[in-house]
Amino acid sequence: MIQFGPPRTGSTLVWNAVRAICPELEVPKRHDLSFLHRSPLCRARFIATVRDPSDIIASMLGVSELTPTPEAVDSKIEELARQGMADAIWLRNHSRALILRYEDFYGDFDRLFTPIEGFLGKRAEASARKDFERRFSIDAVRERAEKLQSFDRFDPQDQIHGRHVSRQSGRPGYHHEVLDPASIARIRERFARFIDVFGYRS
């Protein structure tokens, strides 16, 4: 089992949900896939996360504390292009992959757990689910992230980073409040295939 997703797609939340459902598993968490992972010899199952690329870029700028200048946006576009966007498209029709859209499970733990439990064929213990909901509400994560301060610092137990939660609480569509239309257009052009495959045309 591999938990995969480009950065800022809710992958840490999903990784912790998988661990709550199957605490006996050692689950690698990756932002890209190796040649071996993409080989026919790899028999692993994948739980993958995707998100609107414009929101990803807005979030990447936020955790880096960068003003969304054209130069900063272009830098993050190229950084994101190297971190799993093509791999996500490759997984789209993979027979052993579950694809989770950030927008579908944002703020709704039932819509997070139900597809994962169905994919794994196992339900989380009630106590594990209760502990997850306590630890991973947006307010709880924000409080712990503020104590860590810097994105370079993280809790090794659950991989929550400093500045993990944006000022907009990761709300879907908030890129319109952060990015100008020209920047959004460049992002949509660069990731047009991803946007088409995962239904982010609006």
Side-chain angles (χ1 to χ4, degrees):
M1 179 66 62
I2 296 170
Q3 196 288 313
F4 158 80
R8 313 307 296 163
T9 58
S11 56
T12 299
L13 184 68
V14 170
W15 180 71
N16 280 289
V18 173
R19 295 169 68 224
I21 297 165
C22 295
E24 73 282 3
L25 292 181
E26 291 289 333
V27 182
K29 178 177 178 291
R30 297 188 59 92
H31 289 314
D32 56 20
L33 299 179
S34 69
F35 176 80
L36 179 59
H37 291 138
R38 296 181 63 151
S39 163
L41 298 176
C42 179
R43 306 307 297 170
R45 292 192 292 171
F46 300 87
I47 297 179
T49 53
V50 297
R51 185 182 186 184
D52 185 321
S54 297
D55 280 341
I56 296 176
I57 296 294
S59 183
M60 292 173 74
L61 290 165
V63 299
S64 299
E65 297 187 305
L66 291 174
T67 301
T69 63
E71 295 77 17
V73 171
D74 288 345
S75 174
K76 291 302 179 184
I77 287 173
E78 295 312 310
E79 182 180 333
L80 179 59
R82 296 190 297 269
Q83 295 194 64
M85 298 296 273
D87 293 325
I89 294 170
W90 178 79
L91 279 176
R92 178 65 179 86
N93 295 312
H94 195 291
S95 61
R96 295 187 304 280
L98 171 68
I99 308 292
L100 299 172
R101 284 170 43 106
Y102 175 95
E103 294 78 9
D104 293 338
F105 63 76
Y106 174 82
D108 189 333
F109 288 151
D110 286 337
R111 295 184 71 182
L112 172 64
F113 272 77
T114 298
I116 298 174
E117 290 174 332
F119 183 71
L120 296 176
K122 181 179 179 181
R123 291 178 63 88
E125 296 288 339
S127 59
R129 173 69 182 264
K130 184 176 181 180
D131 182 62
F132 180 93
E133 293 179 357
R134 176 184 62 82
R135 289 177 54 81
F136 293 101
S137 70
I138 288 176
D139 288 342
V141 172
R142 186 192 303 281
E143 182 179 344
R144 287 191 285 137
E146 287 176 352
K147 292 177 181 177
L148 290 164
Q149 299 181 331
S150 167
F151 192 73
D152 293 333
R153 298 179 62 194
F154 67 96
D155 184 332
Q157 180 181 356
D158 55 25
Q159 297 194 12
I160 295 297
H161 290 256
R163 297 201 306 274
H164 205 105
V165 181
S166 69
R167 287 190 295 273
Q168 297 83 3
S169 298
R171 185 177 67 255
Y174 85 85
H175 66 269
H176 289 290
E177 303 166 23
V178 177
L179 303 174
D180 62 39
S183 294
I184 295 171
R186 292 200 306 281
I187 294 166
R188 296 183 73 78
E189 180 181 6
R190 183 67 174 81
F191 299 113
R193 176 62 176 154
F194 184 97
I195 286 168
D196 286 339
V197 166
F198 295 111
Y200 288 115
R201 288 286 175 199
S202 58

